[in-house]
mmCIF file of all heavy atoms in Angstrom:
data_model
loop_
_atom_site.group_PDB
_atom_site.id
_atom_site.type_symbol
_atom_site.label_atom_id
_atom_site.label_comp_id
_atom_site.label_asym_id
_atom_site.label_seq_id
_atom_site.Cartn_x
_atom_site.Cartn_y
_atom_site.Cartn_z
ATOM 1 N N PHE A 7 -76.153 4.660 113.942
ATOM 2 C CA PHE A 7 -74.957 4.969 113.166
ATOM 3 C C PHE A 7 -73.708 4.451 113.896
ATOM 4 O O PHE A 7 -73.344 4.950 114.945
ATOM 5 C CB PHE A 7 -74.830 6.488 112.978
ATOM 6 C CG PHE A 7 -73.803 6.850 111.938
ATOM 7 C CD1 PHE A 7 -74.165 7.045 110.634
ATOM 8 C CD2 PHE A 7 -72.449 6.998 112.304
ATOM 9 C CE1 PHE A 7 -73.228 7.380 109.658
ATOM 10 C CE2 PHE A 7 -71.516 7.322 111.312
ATOM 11 C CZ PHE A 7 -71.876 7.533 110.005
ATOM 12 N N GLY A 8 -73.086 3.430 113.309
ATOM 13 C CA GLY A 8 -71.890 2.871 113.913
ATOM 14 C C GLY A 8 -72.183 1.737 114.879
ATOM 15 O O GLY A 8 -73.252 1.693 115.471
ATOM 16 N N GLU A 9 -71.220 0.847 115.023
ATOM 17 C CA GLU A 9 -71.406 -0.315 115.890
ATOM 18 C C GLU A 9 -70.807 0.012 117.266
ATOM 19 O O GLU A 9 -69.842 0.721 117.423
ATOM 20 C CB GLU A 9 -70.654 -1.524 115.310
ATOM 21 C CG GLU A 9 -71.060 -1.886 113.880
ATOM 22 C CD GLU A 9 -72.512 -2.276 113.804
ATOM 23 O OE1 GLU A 9 -73.041 -2.901 114.770
ATOM 24 O OE2 GLU A 9 -73.158 -1.956 112.795
ATOM 25 N N LYS A 10 -71.471 -0.591 118.293
ATOM 26 C CA LYS A 10 -71.016 -0.400 119.657
ATOM 27 C C LYS A 10 -70.119 -1.580 120.070
ATOM 28 O O LYS A 10 -70.554 -2.734 120.133
ATOM 29 C CB LYS A 10 -72.240 -0.358 120.608
ATOM 30 C CG LYS A 10 -71.877 -0.057 122.042
ATOM 31 C CD LYS A 10 -71.220 1.320 122.195
ATOM 32 C CE LYS A 10 -70.937 1.596 123.661
ATOM 33 N NZ LYS A 10 -70.207 2.898 123.831
ATOM 34 N N ILE A 11 -68.852 -1.310 120.276
ATOM 35 C CA ILE A 11 -67.873 -2.299 120.714
ATOM 36 C C ILE A 11 -67.463 -1.959 122.135
ATOM 37 O O ILE A 11 -67.115 -0.818 122.449
ATOM 38 C CB ILE A 11 -66.641 -2.302 119.776
ATOM 39 C CG1 ILE A 11 -67.067 -2.484 118.333
ATOM 40 C CG2 ILE A 11 -65.671 -3.417 120.206
ATOM 41 C CD1 ILE A 11 -67.738 -3.780 118.005
ATOM 42 N N GLU A 12 -67.448 -2.939 123.034
ATOM 43 C CA GLU A 12 -67.229 -2.676 124.451
ATOM 44 C C GLU A 12 -65.934 -1.967 124.772
ATOM 45 O O GLU A 12 -65.868 -1.114 125.646
ATOM 46 C CB GLU A 12 -67.305 -4.003 125.221
ATOM 47 C CG GLU A 12 -68.690 -4.634 125.264
ATOM 48 C CD GLU A 12 -68.707 -5.887 126.116
ATOM 49 O OE1 GLU A 12 -67.652 -6.236 126.706
ATOM 50 O OE2 GLU A 12 -69.784 -6.535 126.196
ATOM 51 N N LYS A 13 -64.862 -2.282 124.080
ATOM 52 C CA LYS A 13 -63.585 -1.696 124.443
ATOM 53 C C LYS A 13 -63.417 -0.254 123.939
ATOM 54 O O LYS A 13 -62.397 0.395 124.261
ATOM 55 C CB LYS A 13 -62.451 -2.558 123.851
ATOM 56 C CG LYS A 13 -62.424 -2.673 122.378
ATOM 57 C CD LYS A 13 -61.225 -3.567 121.951
ATOM 58 C CE LYS A 13 -61.198 -3.761 120.420
ATOM 59 N NZ LYS A 13 -60.034 -4.598 120.013
ATOM 60 N N PHE A 14 -64.382 0.303 123.223
ATOM 61 C CA PHE A 14 -64.309 1.672 122.774
ATOM 62 C C PHE A 14 -65.419 2.488 123.362
ATOM 63 O O PHE A 14 -66.536 2.000 123.553
ATOM 64 C CB PHE A 14 -64.390 1.744 121.204
ATOM 65 C CG PHE A 14 -63.312 0.938 120.513
ATOM 66 C CD1 PHE A 14 -63.681 -0.080 119.654
ATOM 67 C CD2 PHE A 14 -61.976 1.231 120.705
ATOM 68 C CE1 PHE A 14 -62.708 -0.836 118.991
ATOM 69 C CE2 PHE A 14 -61.016 0.471 120.035
ATOM 70 C CZ PHE A 14 -61.359 -0.552 119.190
ATOM 71 N N ASP A 15 -65.129 3.769 123.655
ATOM 72 C CA ASP A 15 -66.140 4.620 124.280
ATOM 73 C C ASP A 15 -66.939 5.407 123.251
ATOM 74 O O ASP A 15 -67.780 6.249 123.593
ATOM 75 C CB ASP A 15 -65.495 5.584 125.257
ATOM 76 C CG ASP A 15 -64.416 6.457 124.631
ATOM 77 O OD1 ASP A 15 -64.108 6.219 123.450
ATOM 78 O OD2 ASP A 15 -63.921 7.367 125.300
ATOM 79 N N VAL A 16 -66.727 5.142 121.958
ATOM 80 C CA VAL A 16 -67.542 5.740 120.892
ATOM 81 C C VAL A 16 -67.937 4.644 119.931
ATOM 82 O O VAL A 16 -67.331 3.588 119.863
ATOM 83 C CB VAL A 16 -66.766 6.830 120.136
ATOM 84 C CG1 VAL A 16 -66.482 8.044 121.013
ATOM 85 C CG2 VAL A 16 -65.496 6.295 119.527
ATOM 86 N N ARG A 17 -69.017 4.891 119.207
ATOM 87 C CA ARG A 17 -69.419 3.959 118.166
ATOM 88 C C ARG A 17 -68.367 3.936 117.071
ATOM 89 O O ARG A 17 -67.761 4.970 116.797
ATOM 90 C CB ARG A 17 -70.806 4.288 117.623
ATOM 91 C CG ARG A 17 -71.932 3.942 118.606
ATOM 92 C CD ARG A 17 -73.285 4.110 117.960
ATOM 93 N NE ARG A 17 -74.369 3.687 118.846
ATOM 94 C CZ ARG A 17 -74.846 2.442 118.899
ATOM 95 N NH1 ARG A 17 -74.367 1.488 118.128
ATOM 96 N NH2 ARG A 17 -75.804 2.149 119.753
ATOM 97 N N VAL A 18 -68.239 2.831 116.374
ATOM 98 C CA VAL A 18 -67.146 2.683 115.405
ATOM 99 C C VAL A 18 -67.655 2.124 114.070
ATOM 100 O O VAL A 18 -68.735 1.574 113.977
ATOM 101 C CB VAL A 18 -66.039 1.756 115.945
ATOM 102 C CG1 VAL A 18 -65.384 2.380 117.203
ATOM 103 C CG2 VAL A 18 -66.577 0.354 116.276
ATOM 104 N N LEU A 19 -66.800 2.309 113.075
ATOM 105 C CA LEU A 19 -66.988 1.714 111.756
ATOM 106 C C LEU A 19 -65.682 0.998 111.350
ATOM 107 O O LEU A 19 -64.657 1.255 111.941
ATOM 108 C CB LEU A 19 -67.316 2.806 110.726
ATOM 109 C CG LEU A 19 -68.594 3.625 110.946
ATOM 110 C CD1 LEU A 19 -68.587 4.810 109.977
ATOM 111 C CD2 LEU A 19 -69.828 2.734 110.701
ATOM 112 N N ASN A 20 -65.802 0.137 110.378
ATOM 113 C CA ASN A 20 -64.630 -0.543 109.834
ATOM 114 C C ASN A 20 -63.995 0.323 108.742
ATOM 115 O O ASN A 20 -64.619 0.483 107.684
ATOM 116 C CB ASN A 20 -64.992 -1.920 109.292
ATOM 117 C CG ASN A 20 -63.776 -2.691 108.797
ATOM 118 O OD1 ASN A 20 -62.634 -2.242 108.896
ATOM 119 N ND2 ASN A 20 -63.982 -3.869 108.285
ATOM 120 N N GLU A 21 -62.852 0.898 108.982
ATOM 121 C CA GLU A 21 -62.199 1.785 108.045
ATOM 122 C C GLU A 21 -61.950 1.110 106.713
ATOM 123 O O GLU A 21 -62.002 1.756 105.652
ATOM 124 C CB GLU A 21 -60.890 2.294 108.626
ATOM 125 C CG GLU A 21 -60.036 3.158 107.689
ATOM 126 C CD GLU A 21 -60.686 4.467 107.268
ATOM 127 O OE1 GLU A 21 -61.743 4.802 107.848
ATOM 128 O OE2 GLU A 21 -60.143 5.112 106.358
ATOM 129 N N ARG A 22 -61.696 -0.189 106.710
ATOM 130 C CA ARG A 22 -61.439 -0.878 105.449
ATOM 131 C C ARG A 22 -62.678 -0.895 104.563
ATOM 132 O O ARG A 22 -62.572 -0.769 103.332
ATOM 133 C CB ARG A 22 -60.919 -2.291 105.724
ATOM 134 C CG ARG A 22 -59.615 -2.306 106.533
ATOM 135 C CD ARG A 22 -58.994 -3.677 106.609
ATOM 136 N NE ARG A 22 -57.876 -3.705 107.533
ATOM 137 C CZ ARG A 22 -56.638 -3.321 107.202
ATOM 138 N NH1 ARG A 22 -56.412 -2.853 105.995
ATOM 139 N NH2 ARG A 22 -55.649 -3.350 108.085
ATOM 140 N N GLU A 23 -63.835 -1.076 105.160
ATOM 141 C CA GLU A 23 -65.080 -1.016 104.417
ATOM 142 C C GLU A 23 -65.363 0.415 103.918
ATOM 143 O O GLU A 23 -65.802 0.588 102.783
ATOM 144 C CB GLU A 23 -66.240 -1.489 105.295
ATOM 145 C CG GLU A 23 -66.178 -2.938 105.684
ATOM 146 C CD GLU A 23 -67.268 -3.328 106.645
ATOM 147 O OE1 GLU A 23 -68.209 -2.483 106.831
ATOM 148 O OE2 GLU A 23 -67.225 -4.408 107.241
ATOM 149 N N VAL A 24 -65.053 1.390 104.777
ATOM 150 C CA VAL A 24 -65.263 2.786 104.407
ATOM 151 C C VAL A 24 -64.407 3.161 103.189
ATOM 152 O O VAL A 24 -64.918 3.796 102.213
ATOM 153 C CB VAL A 24 -64.928 3.734 105.570
ATOM 154 C CG1 VAL A 24 -64.990 5.185 105.170
ATOM 155 C CG2 VAL A 24 -65.919 3.459 106.740
ATOM 156 N N ARG A 25 -63.150 2.786 103.202
ATOM 157 C CA ARG A 25 -62.255 3.115 102.092
ATOM 158 C C ARG A 25 -62.659 2.379 100.813
ATOM 159 O O ARG A 25 -62.590 2.937 99.707
ATOM 160 C CB ARG A 25 -60.806 2.780 102.444
ATOM 161 C CG ARG A 25 -60.209 3.721 103.504
ATOM 162 C CD ARG A 25 -58.746 3.392 103.746
ATOM 163 N NE ARG A 25 -57.914 3.653 102.581
ATOM 164 C CZ ARG A 25 -56.593 3.528 102.588
ATOM 165 N NH1 ARG A 25 -55.947 3.160 103.668
ATOM 166 N NH2 ARG A 25 -55.928 3.810 101.484
ATOM 167 N N ALA A 26 -63.065 1.119 101.001
ATOM 168 C CA ALA A 26 -63.502 0.359 99.812
ATOM 169 C C ALA A 26 -64.746 0.975 99.193
ATOM 170 O O ALA A 26 -64.838 1.120 97.974
ATOM 171 C CB ALA A 26 -63.804 -1.098 100.218
ATOM 172 N N GLY A 27 -65.674 1.403 100.036
ATOM 173 C CA GLY A 27 -66.883 2.083 99.552
ATOM 174 C C GLY A 27 -66.556 3.376 98.859
ATOM 175 O O GLY A 27 -67.143 3.689 97.819
ATOM 176 N N ALA A 28 -65.608 4.137 99.379
ATOM 177 C CA ALA A 28 -65.185 5.387 98.788
ATOM 178 C C ALA A 28 -64.545 5.140 97.431
ATOM 179 O O ALA A 28 -64.742 5.885 96.450
ATOM 180 C CB ALA A 28 -64.209 6.145 99.699
ATOM 181 N N GLY A 29 -63.729 4.064 97.355
ATOM 182 C CA GLY A 29 -63.082 3.744 96.088
ATOM 183 C C GLY A 29 -64.096 3.349 95.011
ATOM 184 O O GLY A 29 -63.924 3.738 93.860
ATOM 185 N N ILE A 30 -65.109 2.609 95.383
ATOM 186 C CA ILE A 30 -66.142 2.206 94.436
ATOM 187 C C ILE A 30 -66.872 3.467 93.898
ATOM 188 O O ILE A 30 -67.092 3.597 92.696
ATOM 189 C CB ILE A 30 -67.146 1.241 95.110
ATOM 190 C CG1 ILE A 30 -66.454 -0.071 95.402
ATOM 191 C CG2 ILE A 30 -68.369 1.031 94.213
ATOM 192 C CD1 ILE A 30 -67.253 -1.002 96.291
ATOM 193 N N LEU A 31 -67.260 4.345 94.796
ATOM 194 C CA LEU A 31 -67.916 5.558 94.391
ATOM 195 C C LEU A 31 -67.039 6.455 93.540
ATOM 196 O O LEU A 31 -67.479 7.068 92.569
ATOM 197 C CB LEU A 31 -68.403 6.349 95.631
ATOM 198 C CG LEU A 31 -69.536 5.685 96.445
ATOM 199 C CD1 LEU A 31 -69.819 6.515 97.683
ATOM 200 C CD2 LEU A 31 -70.785 5.553 95.584
#
Side-chain angles (χ1 to χ4, degrees):
F7 193 93
E9 304 298 325
K10 185 62 177 176
I11 307 297
E12 291 185 3
K13 62 180 179 179
F14 303 120
D15 58 353
V16 294
R17 287 188 175 271
V18 296
L19 297 169
N20 182 3
E21 173 65 9
R22 299 190 187 278
E23 294 176 10
V24 173
R25 290 184 65 176
I30 292 168
L31 291 175

